Amino acid sequence: RDSHPDVELGFALLPAARGRGLALEACRATLRFARSEFGLTRLVALTAPQNDASIRILRKLGFTEAGRGCYTGDGRESRRFELQLD
């Protein structure tokens, strides 16, 4: 997104694929790749305030909530999460 300077982890699943652990597995692989291949030390993730399923995944990955803001062109509020990849 152009609304912030950070590298962002994002994911979306069709309803038929939800609740099967696919997002968690894919995100874990992406985090390993981000560290090993790109040397990233920090990632952010944005989600809708009521998206409890995505928030659970982000917390399982070690992300911590870092506030709220408007990061999309439509002006809707998002919850911002951050992860240090030390």
Side-chain angles (χ1 to χ4, degrees), residues 20-37:
R20 298 170 49 196
L22 300 173
L24 186 60
E25 182 179 343
C27 287
R28 284 182 174 148
T30 301
L31 294 179
R32 285 192 300 273
F33 191 78
R35 282 186 203 114
S36 66
E37 299 300 317

Side-chain angles (χ1 to χ4, degrees), residues 2-82:
D2 294 334
S3 59
H4 63 82
D6 300 300
V7 176
E8 182 181 338
L9 176 69
F11 53 89
L13 298 173
L14 294 172
R18 294 177 187 157
R20 298 170 49 196
L22 300 173
L24 186 60
E25 182 179 343
C27 287
R28 284 182 174 148
T30 301
L31 294 179
R32 285 192 300 273
F33 191 78
R35 282 186 203 114
S36 66
E37 299 300 317
F38 293 112
L40 295 177
T41 59
R42 184 172 169 278
L43 288 172
V44 301
L46 304 173
T47 187
Q50 306 84 4
N51 191 339
D52 294 331
S54 290
I55 293 165
R56 276 193 302 276
I57 291 168
L58 293 173
R59 288 187 173 143
K60 284 181 183 179
L61 293 168
F63 281 80
T64 56
E65 191 159 356
R68 295 178 183 230
C70 295
Y71 302 99
T72 60
D74 59 12
R76 289 184 295 169
E77 184 181 63
S78 296
R79 289 169 75 170
R80 178 184 174 100
F81 292 81
E82 297 180 356

